[in-house]
Amino acid sequence: MTAEIIVVTSGKGGVGKTTTSASLATGLAMAGKKVAVIDFDVGLRNLDLIMGCERRVVYDFVNVVHGEATLKQALIKDKRYETLYVLAASQTRDKDALTQEGVEKVLEDLGKEGFDYVVCDSPAGIEKGAHLAMYFADHAVVVVNPEVSSVRDSDRILGLLASKTRRAERGDGAIKQHLLLTRYNPARVAVGEMLSVKDVEEILGINVVGVIPESENVLAASNAGVPVILDDNSFAGQAYSDTVARILGEERALRFLEVPKKGFFQRVFGG
Amino acid sequence: MGILDFLKRKPEPTAGLAKERLRIIVAQERSTRGAPDYLPLLRNELLEVIKKYVHVDLEAININVERDSGHEILELSVALPENTPAKSI
């Protein structure tokens, strides 16, 4: 048995890769799938904080790759969903601690353990860690902000996904690419201050799989160590739920692209 | 009103500008994707050589690598300015 490998990547840092990885993995687990989410950012571990399991990290991904711990020892079981596991990045090793063979072995073993999905949270940049995170992927979620440097970098990443991955090298079918637009601010788009969904789609020549509105709930969720998809009341959480459903093949219309209508009190008092 | 205007000043609508700039740079980077690393250097050195004889800008030199089945074509074009006398050597 093999697991479907999904890489969450972007090129540029700070666009929402880890937030997306956490919510995507959680959403897949909510749909009943057995999911492992792996932090590939060796030296700058953060997924554990976003998932809220930072105090329970004993062994990490690098330990498993080097045979210092078994996969079972290193997988951290989520407190909320029992089919969801986190594999943390090493905080002390350097980024050369991962090897292609080692990563391949871990991904294969996860398949043998009955995992349906492995979500690979890529580090920023296009160096070794990012390369390894994407190399074995079947799907890629490219996270992009409606901002020039992020859009340009994501085009670069789309190019790498099409050439520098195992699927590309073997010629066994392209990676399925999903563009996820995050930090979207409909009010600023409406007045022409921010690139629109359509603009980004046109520039990159690929349709979005989801649009996550800029939301204060994302910071609140990371403060609390709860993936924002679990915040049903937030637009961001709902937009992530829609995105996961689409990745699983469901058809759902995009939401939260318009400026929210203000109520009477908001109009009078602002906010 | 001057002070109020200043306080209320909103950013200019610049999304169109962003889109236009991205369209151009993305198209350019896609056309050179996978091309050999030495191309930009080659372009600069060619420019130096050409400049000895005519005044041209970096933008006037276009280098493309096209891949067909089995072979690659290095395409090079230089747009010479009109009515510019060649430098006397």
Side-chain angles (χ1 to χ4, degrees):
Chain A
M1 276 208 300
T2 55
E4 290 271 306
I5 316 289
I6 306 178
V7 61
V8 177
T9 184
S10 70
K12 191 174 182 298
V15 296
K17 278 184 299 295
T18 301
T19 298
T20 297
S21 298
S23 280
L24 172 60
T26 305
L28 290 168
M30 289 161 83
K33 310 291 183 188
K34 189 171 178 186
V35 187
V37 55
I38 306 180
D39 191 346
F40 274 73
D41 205 346
V42 175
L44 291 171
R45 172 200 289 172
N46 272 320
L47 179 68
D48 55 338
L49 269 180
I50 304 302
M51 292 294 294
C53 65
E54 70 278 8
R55 308 263 314 259
R56 295 193 288 139
V57 180
V58 180
Y59 295 108
D60 59 54
F61 189 23
V62 172
N63 291 139
V64 181
V65 164
H66 287 250
E68 296 151 3
T70 64
L71 196 49
K72 277 209 171 105
Q73 286 175 311
L75 284 169
I76 306 163
K77 193 172 181 177
D78 185 74
K79 282 175 287 188
R80 298 156 291 231
Y81 292 91
E82 57 178 36
T83 59
L84 177 58
Y85 294 82
V86 178
L87 191 50
S90 169
Q91 191 66 310
T92 51
R93 311 288 268 269
D94 67 37
K95 59 184 182 341
D96 293 325
L98 292 178
T99 61
Q100 187 157 304
E101 298 72 32
V103 172
E104 182 174 24
K105 173 94 176 26
V106 170
L107 295 176
E108 271 175 17
D109 289 349
L110 286 168
K112 285 181 201 151
E113 290 290 326
F115 279 86
D116 300 303
Y117 287 95
V118 179
V119 176
C120 303
D121 182 22
S122 173
I126 52 173
E127 288 173 29
K128 193 175 180 189
H131 172 73
L132 286 175
M134 72 166 68
Y135 188 72
F136 298 101
D138 302 301
H139 297 253
V141 175
V142 177
V143 184
V144 61
N145 290 170
E147 177 272 325
V148 287
S149 43
S150 175
V151 173
R152 180 201 212 168
D153 288 359
S154 61
D155 189 62
R156 182 105 166 80
I157 289 292
L158 289 168
L160 293 176
L161 287 166
S163 61
K164 298 280 160 66
T165 53
R166 184 166 70 173
R167 276 178 169 270
E169 285 175 5
R170 287 185 175 172
D172 46 359
I175 288 190
K176 190 123 180 39
Q177 296 176 340
H178 309 276
L179 187 68
L180 182 66
L181 188 53
T182 63
R183 300 241 168 91
Y184 195 69
N185 186 327
R188 303 197 73 184
V189 171
V191 294
E193 287 173 15
M194 183 182 266
L195 292 166
S196 68
V197 180
K198 204 164 142 278
D199 290 339
V200 176
E201 287 183 332
E202 272 178 35
I203 295 161
L204 296 175
I206 167 176
N207 289 337
V208 297
V209 71
V211 178
I212 312 299
E214 191 170 48
S215 160
E216 19 196 85
N217 303 80
V218 173
L219 181 60
S222 77
N223 285 342
V226 179
V228 71
I229 195 170
L230 293 172
D231 183 355
D232 300 334
N233 296 319
S234 72
F235 288 172
Q238 293 173 41
Y240 269 118
S241 296
D242 288 352
T243 303
V244 174
R246 288 188 205 107
I247 289 173
L248 286 169
E250 213 177 294
E251 289 220 3
R252 287 198 189 180
L254 291 173
R255 292 192 279 171
F256 319 117
L257 303 187
E258 306 299 326
V259 184
K261 294 219 168 44
K262 286 191 174 179
F264 172 73
F265 283 101
Q266 277 178 312
R267 259 183 292 159
V268 174
F269 298 109
Chain B
M1 275 315 277
I3 289 171
L4 271 183
D5 279 349
F6 177 75
L7 290 175
K8 280 183 177 172
R9 197 160 64 184
K10 296 280 269 180
E12 294 284 310
T14 48
L17 189 60
K19 186 180 180 185
E20 193 50 28
R21 292 174 60 219
L22 277 168
R23 230 178 34 73
I24 294 166
I25 193 68
V26 164
Q28 190 195 322
E29 286 176 347
R30 281 183 185 182
S31 72
T32 53
R33 189 176 284 167
D37 295 340
Y38 58 74
L39 279 190
L41 209 62
L42 177 65
R43 197 160 90 130
N44 282 336
E45 285 191 31
L46 280 168
L47 180 72
E48 291 307 312
V49 173
I50 294 166
K51 264 188 173 166
K52 283 186 182 173
Y53 304 94
V54 233
H55 270 298
V56 289
D57 289 334
L58 192 58
E59 278 75 42
I61 301 183
N62 212 349
I63 300 187
N64 259 321
V65 179
E66 284 194 22
R67 280 190 193 80
D68 267 335
S69 48
H71 65 280
E72 289 182 16
I73 302 171
L74 178 68
E75 193 182 58
L76 181 97
S77 68
V78 183
L80 294 174
E82 282 178 57
N83 304 324
T84 318
K87 279 188 183 177
S88 51
I89 305 161

